[in-house]
Amino acid sequence: MSAALSPRPAEGTDLPYRAVRAIGRFWIWFLFRAVDARDAGRVPATGPVLLCMNHPNNLIDSLLVGSLVTRKVHYLATAAMFRNRLQSRFLRACGAIPVYRRQDDPDRRDRNVEAFAACFEILAHGGVIGIYPEGTTHAERRVERIKTGAARIALEYEARRAADPRQAPLTVIPVGLSFEALKSFRSRVRVAFGEPVPLDPHLGPYRDDPAQAVGALTEALQWAMEAQVVQTDRLEGADVARAVEALYRDRLIRDLQDERGLSARQIDTVRLGRSIAEAVAHFERADPGRVAHIRGRIIAYRALLAAYRVRDDAVRERLAHRPVRQRLRRGGGAVIGLPVFVYGAAVNALPYLIPRWIARRTARKETSYATTRFLASVVAYPLFWGLETAAVWRLAGPAWAGAFLVSLPVTGLLAYHYVAGIGRLRHQLHLGAVSVTRAHAAARLLAERRALIDELDRARTEYLAATRGTGA
């Protein structure tokens, strides 16, 4: 095995990995409203582990899993990321292992022998390997057909271990990452760790027919990963599920709050998305005509929104009939928060807008947008915050500079939420203007959304009855 690929057995203790994980945790906190970690304790504290993960969001996926797993994770990464010498040294220092894909390096795939050798050595030292068996990133809410690499590593390691009883058995953990929105700042994400996938049933067949055993384990891994992800079986179903979720999720959240006394923070919105996807899949099997009917109504409603340049959240807010006291409280909060917004927007505008502009201009895939924006933000925020803090230090001294630096991330988040609130208010005012100038149009919008929600309420009741469910 080449020296460049030699693993570092003392996992979790080397400075580069610890530094990257610490920085990653801060940025994960800053970029996401909530990270819902499910059963991270299923990753054993010692012994060799193979984490098999879906891959919806490029580099962000590795940062998320690395921030939740206390042990050092050696990720398999495309060799294209190692072509820059400085970047290659950094990735190797963090324990990454280059893999040569057919689409990137068709003439160098024979070097994957070195990658497999590095994996076996890491596992033999009781390390953790992170692999994306799909082989590429994608934006769909499902697990693509996975490749055989993970199963080959697992079974070959166990076959070698049979000749060396000193080595510990391998634990294979399926991991599912489900994003509320791939491009949205301050969205939610769930990272679910499944139960270990049994390897014993495949070891005997692997000795007699390796190809068949690898195929069987790959199929088992596919099912195990799908169980941890918001899964839709068809692209059409995925489109309907996303549309229904956009229209109906607030209704489900409100019902859960009323029926179970849950706060907004206690409700797993990613799980709600999964429930909606499962319901759509159920009706596609049991009553495809109904799914087509709902799809048609959603398209018609969206056409009305576009025709009158109204957003759905404004229609939803109009139908909600908020109490006067609540509306006054919101208005008062907006007035009080205005100075904080002006300050936060002024000192954070450039580091917020420049990475977004760069991502929009350079990201070629939806799955690369968040990573591009993240990497640009990692540079932009410290750069601008450092320059601004230095200016305050020079003008007002170190004490004011320290207070200013602490205020930057907090007021930046508050300003972001304030801008979102202003956007909602603007769209509500526009709907109010439509109500005055085109009363029939506004009434039609309200009636169409109300009818859609009634239709979804009936479908929900029938789905729960058919599946003997007790909740959303």
Side-chain angles (χ1 to χ4, degrees):
M1 183 178 65
S2 67
L5 281 173
S6 297
R8 300 170 181 263
E11 60 177 275
T13 58
D14 51 293
L15 183 59
Y17 188 85
R18 292 171 62 187
V20 169
R21 183 164 61 186
I23 295 170
R25 282 176 172 170
F26 168 78
W27 286 103
I28 291 299
W29 167 82
F30 187 73
L31 294 174
F32 292 96
R33 180 183 305 174
V35 177
D36 180 15
R38 295 298 178 94
D39 300 312
R42 284 175 169 163
V43 179
T46 59
V49 178
L50 183 64
L51 301 176
C52 299
M53 305 164 286
N54 66 310
H55 206 7
N57 214 350
N58 215 312
L59 178 64
I60 303 295
D61 300 337
S62 298
L63 286 175
L64 280 165
V65 174
S67 70
L68 297 174
V69 176
T70 58
R71 302 173 61 186
K72 179 175 181 177
V73 182
H74 300 263
Y75 295 99
L76 273 69
T78 173
M81 298 178 64
F82 293 77
R83 289 171 182 164
N84 179 279
R85 181 175 298 180
L86 183 62
Q87 182 171 292
S88 175
R89 291 184 63 182
F90 171 76
L91 290 171
R92 293 179 191 276
C94 292
I97 302 169
V99 176
Y100 296 87
R101 301 188 303 177
R102 182 177 290 104
Q103 60 266 41
D104 299 327
D105 298 279
D107 300 328
R108 305 181 70 187
R109 286 176 53 79
D110 58 319
R111 294 199 61 186
N112 281 333
V113 173
E114 300 177 15
F116 277 89
C119 291
F120 296 138
E121 186 169 341
I122 290 169
L123 295 175
H125 283 91
V128 182
I129 298 288
I131 185 171
Y132 299 101
E134 293 167 302
T136 185
T137 58
H138 63 92
E140 298 300 328
R141 286 188 175 181
R142 55 185 177 143
V143 179
E144 295 283 358
R145 177 53 77 184
I146 68 173
K147 296 177 171 55
T148 60
R152 290 165 58 200
I153 291 172
L155 292 176
E156 181 60 25
Y157 170 81
E158 285 296 302
R160 297 184 182 192
R161 188 178 70 84
D164 186 357
R166 295 172 300 175
Q167 294 184 8
L170 177 64
T171 302
V172 178
I173 304 287
V175 182
L177 296 102
S178 302
F179 290 83
E180 185 178 53
L182 288 179
K183 292 185 177 182
S184 296
F185 179 67
R186 301 300 291 173
S187 62
R188 295 181 177 88
V189 60
R190 185 174 78 164
V191 184
F193 296 79
E195 294 183 356
V197 176
L199 298 179
D200 288 345
H202 306 281
L203 296 181
Y206 184 69
R207 288 190 292 268
D208 302 327
D209 190 343
Q212 184 177 356
V214 166
L217 179 56
T218 299
E219 189 71 19
L221 287 172
Q222 179 89 32
W223 284 103
M225 291 172 61
E226 289 178 358
Q228 306 306 318
V229 178
V230 174
Q231 176 78 11
T232 51
D233 296 329
R234 299 169 52 193
L235 289 177
E236 296 87 345
D239 293 339
V240 176
R242 280 194 289 266
V244 170
E245 183 178 354
L247 287 166
Y248 200 57
R249 188 178 64 180
D250 281 65
R251 174 61 169 265
L252 292 175
I253 291 174
R254 188 170 67 252
D255 288 348
L256 287 172
Q257 290 174 322
D258 294 342
E259 296 169 6
R260 305 182 187 179
L262 300 175
S263 67
R265 292 182 177 273
Q266 292 176 303
I267 296 173
D268 183 356
T269 56
V270 177
R271 183 181 177 187
L272 285 181
R274 178 170 185 161
S275 298
I276 291 170
E278 290 172 349
V280 170
H282 165 80
F283 281 111
E284 284 199 314
R285 293 189 299 270
D287 190 357
R290 184 164 197 176
V291 176
H293 172 70
I294 291 175
R295 182 190 293 115
R297 295 204 67 165
I298 291 173
I299 292 173
Y301 173 63
R302 285 180 168 179
L304 285 175
L305 292 174
Y308 299 112
R309 291 180 297 172
V310 175
R311 283 180 47 168
D312 174 65
D313 55 1
V315 182
R316 182 180 67 237
E317 188 69 20
R318 177 66 65 89
L319 289 171
H321 301 297
R322 306 285 183 189
V324 175
R325 180 181 299 178
Q326 183 177 352
R327 284 182 284 173
L328 289 175
R329 186 166 62 248
R330 284 187 176 183
V335 173
I336 295 172
L338 181 59
V340 177
F341 158 70
V342 173
Y343 171 79
V347 297
N348 288 282
L350 288 177
Y352 174 79
L353 294 173
I354 289 176
R356 188 172 70 166
W357 179 81
I358 292 174
R360 287 180 173 178
R361 287 297 186 93
T362 62
R364 297 180 180 179
K365 297 171 60 179
E366 185 178 359
T367 54
S368 300
Y369 177 90
T371 294
T372 304
R373 187 172 178 181
F374 164 75
L375 293 174
S377 296
V378 168
V379 175
Y381 276 98
L383 174 63
F384 283 95
W385 285 355
L387 292 173
E388 292 169 343
T389 302
V392 174
W393 186 309
R394 185 168 185 177
L395 293 172
W400 280 103
F404 174 77
L405 180 61
V406 171
S407 74
L408 287 172
V410 176
T411 56
L413 293 177
L414 291 175
Y416 173 80
H417 288 296
Y418 197 96
V419 169
I422 290 176
R424 289 191 295 269
L425 177 61
R426 179 168 60 86
H427 290 292
Q428 291 166 21
L429 292 175
H430 178 66
L431 178 58
V434 172
S435 300
V436 173
T437 59
R438 301 179 180 180
H440 68 285
R444 186 179 176 190
L445 279 168
L446 296 173
E448 190 62 30
R449 193 181 203 283
R450 192 182 294 112
L452 253 175
I453 297 302
D454 289 343
E455 178 87 25
L456 294 175
D457 280 339
R458 290 191 294 272
R460 175 191 177 192
T461 300
E462 293 176 20
Y463 170 70
L464 293 176
T467 57
R468 297 183 180 179
T470 58

